[in-house]
Amino acid sequence: MKPLKIEEIVKAIDGRLVRTGKAGKITGVSTDTRTIKSGDLFIPLAGERFDGHRFMEEAATRGASAILTQELNIRFPKDIHIIYTNNTLKALQALSSWHLNRFATQVVAITGSTGKTTTKDMVYEVLSVKHNALKTLGNYNNEIGLPLTLLNLDRSHDIAVLEMGMSDLGEISCLVQLAPPKLAIITNVGVSHIERLGSRENILKAKLEVVGGLGEGATAIINSDDDLLQTATHSLACPVIRFGTKPPADLMAQDIQLTGDEGMSYSLRIEGKTYEIKLNVPGVHNVYNSLAAIGAGRAFGLTIQEIQEGLLKFKGDRMRLNISTIENDVKVINDSYNASPDSMMAALNILGSMEGSRKIAILGDMLELGDYSKEAHKQVGRAATNCGIDILVTRGQFAAWTMEGATSAGMSSSSLVHLDSNGDIITWLEGIVAQGDRILIKGSRGMHMEEIAASLQDGRAG
């Protein structure tokens, strides 16, 4: 980030300098003492289970030059600037918004129930062909992470590609107030967070908050194959670019094909013309993600050839549909980052389409689905059967529902395996993996399914 003067920070957050330290400028911002670097401003956040103010001394020891605080009746480290504010989180947000406004950076905001991160990364690769873009790192997509991303901006960045997540109504509204988008992308409306929000209609309402933050001349890019989003486009006041696989999509993918085990190709129909598009990642869901990225590229003036160049640079994340080949031509699909019904279906479809001897799906629970959990797990079980999975391995408290769904669709009980822990699955794999197997590993983040993928990839199983 561009260095900040102490007086600039105080003014930006409407704070008060209660003690002057030695450093002339701040060169970074951190809310975590583990990432503190020399010259940083440490912003301690107070949560339900922790209070960052307890770590001010550690922040100073690690090189912080200034500390923001909402507490005055505590002991402060010596020789560093101390700035008081009523609320450190609000101050972090205000500072990030002020910092964004220093530049002419245009914001691309991306939200949706699934595909946010992949779409963000694809959009970034596409726009980086002609622009100097900044993107959200990892899953820094909430009220804390997004401001920290914005504070990494400097004068060279002309576009910021920001993922915006939410778990409740009003959260995306807060994010778009901090970073008003020039372009807003909604990937889909699924059932993630339905436990809290109660219905897909409420999830739609939350996602559409990103469009409510659009300024004059801004555009929305929306998946028109999604039933709720297609209906919602008719009520939007801003220009809308629709993407999908059928009318009324403005960006339409047709003749979708899997190329080998690790890529996709399709014909892009746009403005009466057809272009051939290739991807280095598998899955129809990635076709949708790429269509959103194509829309973003077009909005910023890139040619289809330039957009294709950017799409081919996207290789995927090691825990998001990452396909690796291990000993004896065994292919492992590591999709252990997280799970929802939609992403489970997508991963099972990829496994089902792969050539090989046996297709083994190792599935952990999908969490935070509330009353929808039973039907969602049964649906996944049915999909496993319909995709031609040879062995279905389950783990978790909802596994019985997954197996019930698989059985109801015709899977034999001899093809079903339930194990109680990742360790048990790893041990089971050691005695079962054979030449040419194709193995999918997927579950919600809290199931830590990446442990199983790691055991296969480093040879501890098989």
Side-chain angles (χ1 to χ4, degrees):
M1 68 177 275
K2 182 181 179 181
L4 301 176
K5 298 177 181 178
I6 294 297
E7 53 268 29
E8 288 179 319
I9 297 172
V10 173
K11 184 176 181 180
I13 66 170
D14 193 24
R16 175 162 58 92
L17 184 64
V18 297
R19 196 180 72 197
T20 301
K22 295 181 177 180
K25 293 183 178 180
I26 297 302
T27 54
V29 175
S30 176
T31 60
D32 187 341
T33 54
R34 294 169 297 183
T35 64
I36 288 282
K37 299 184 294 296
S38 179
D40 276 0
L41 166 67
F42 175 56
I43 302 182
L45 301 176
E48 293 180 3
R49 292 177 293 178
F50 71 94
D51 187 347
H53 290 81
R54 293 168 46 204
F55 302 97
M56 292 192 301
E57 195 70 48
E58 181 180 349
T61 301
R62 289 176 176 267
S65 294
I67 289 177
L68 204 57
T69 179
Q70 63 188 45
E71 303 286 344
L72 288 178
N73 297 322
I74 53 179
R75 180 179 176 183
F76 296 113
K78 296 180 179 179
D79 299 325
I80 63 176
H81 303 284
I82 304 296
I83 305 170
Y84 174 75
T85 181
N86 290 327
N87 184 302
T88 52
L89 175 58
K90 296 298 183 185
L92 168 64
Q93 294 170 346
L95 182 62
S96 70
S97 185
W98 170 85
H99 185 65
L100 170 64
N101 289 331
R102 302 169 76 194
F103 312 116
T105 307
Q106 298 188 85
V107 171
V108 178
I110 300 167
T111 192
S113 293
T114 59
K116 293 186 296 296
T117 300
T118 300
T119 300
K120 175 256 299 181
D121 289 338
M122 283 189 177
V123 169
Y124 171 81
E125 293 293 357
V126 166
L127 296 182
S128 293
V129 171
K130 286 188 71 174
H131 297 270
N132 187 17
L134 176 79
K135 69 173 180 175
T136 301
L137 294 177
N139 61 346
Y140 272 36
N141 63 7
N142 62 10
E143 60 182 1
I144 299 171
L146 185 137
L148 291 172
T149 297
L150 291 177
L151 288 168
N152 285 320
L153 284 168
D154 61 40
R155 198 169 298 280
S156 70
H157 296 118
D158 56 338
I159 298 176
V161 183
L162 304 179
E163 181 180 334
M164 294 188 177
M166 66 89 201
S167 58
D168 211 339
L169 290 165
E171 294 179 2
I172 291 179
S173 286
C174 171
L175 300 181
V176 296
Q177 287 174 18
L178 299 178
K182 175 72 173 179
L183 195 67
I185 297 172
I186 307 180
T187 60
N188 49 50
V189 178
V191 295
S192 299
H193 308 299
I194 200 166
E195 183 175 26
R196 182 183 293 267
L197 289 169
S199 68
R200 284 185 70 220
E201 286 72 21
N202 280 342
I203 294 170
L204 170 68
K205 185 177 179 181
K207 298 302 182 185
L208 286 175
E209 290 173 8
V210 73
V211 179
L214 293 176
E216 186 176 351
T219 302
I221 298 177
I222 288 179
N223 179 356
S224 61
D225 280 5
D226 184 286
D227 57 337
L228 293 185
L229 284 174
Q230 183 182 107
T231 302
T233 58
H234 302 305
S235 61
L236 298 181
C238 62
V240 177
I241 299 172
R242 297 162 296 186
F243 65 89
T245 60
K246 56 184 182 290
D250 304 299
L251 304 170
M252 191 184 310
Q254 297 181 321
D255 302 320
I256 300 170
Q257 298 180 18
L258 181 70
T259 55
D261 288 335
E262 302 178 16
M264 301 295 291
S265 67
Y266 62 91
S267 297
L268 171 69
R269 295 276 300 171
I270 177 173
E271 297 174 350
K273 297 180 180 180
T274 301
Y275 304 89
E276 295 304 311
I277 300 295
K278 297 183 184 300
L279 306 176
N280 285 325
V281 286
V284 173
H285 64 293
N286 276 322
V287 170
Y288 283 97
N289 298 335
S290 71
L291 288 170
I294 291 169
R298 297 280 291 180
F300 281 94
L302 274 71
T303 66
I304 295 296
Q305 290 72 25
E306 290 167 334
I307 291 169
Q308 174 68 93
E309 177 186 341
L311 288 173
L312 288 174
K313 291 180 181 178
F314 176 76
K315 306 294 185 181
D317 182 275
R318 65 183 180 88
M319 292 200 302
R320 296 179 192 267
L321 275 175
N322 179 269
I323 301 176
S324 59
T325 303
I326 60 175
E327 189 177 356
N328 295 324
D329 187 37
V330 174
K331 290 186 183 291
V332 179
I333 309 172
N334 180 3
D335 198 23
S336 57
Y337 182 79
N338 215 336
S340 68
D342 289 338
S343 65
M344 279 284 198
M345 306 293 184
L348 286 167
N349 281 328
I350 289 172
L351 177 62
S353 68
M354 295 176 74
E355 299 290 334
S357 55
R358 296 179 303 177
K359 299 168 185 178
I360 303 172
I362 301 173
L363 306 182
D365 281 350
M366 297 177 290
L367 306 177
E368 299 181 2
L369 294 178
D371 293 339
Y372 184 63
S373 186
K374 181 176 181 178
E375 177 53 35
H377 284 84
K378 289 173 68 174
Q379 185 180 14
V380 166
R382 291 192 293 268
T385 301
N386 295 333
C387 289
I389 305 308
D390 297 298
I391 302 176
L392 173 60
V393 183
T394 60
R395 182 174 85 79
Q397 61 179 322
F398 307 134
W401 294 333
T402 305
M403 291 191 291
E404 181 182 342
T407 302
S408 70
M411 185 176 288
S412 168
S413 59
S414 62
S415 297
L416 299 172
V417 178
H418 176 72
L419 295 165
D420 293 330
S421 70
N422 289 343
D424 289 344
I425 294 173
I426 291 168
T427 301
W428 178 83
L429 283 167
E430 290 173 352
I432 197 72
V433 176
Q435 175 87 23
D437 281 347
R438 305 295 183 249
I439 305 172
L440 167 67
I441 300 161
K442 188 165 181 63
S444 277
R445 193 77 217 87
M447 303 300 289
H448 303 290
M449 304 295 282
E450 69 276 6
E451 297 169 356
I452 302 167
S455 75
L456 284 165
Q457 290 162 342
D458 68 15
R460 284 186 284 125

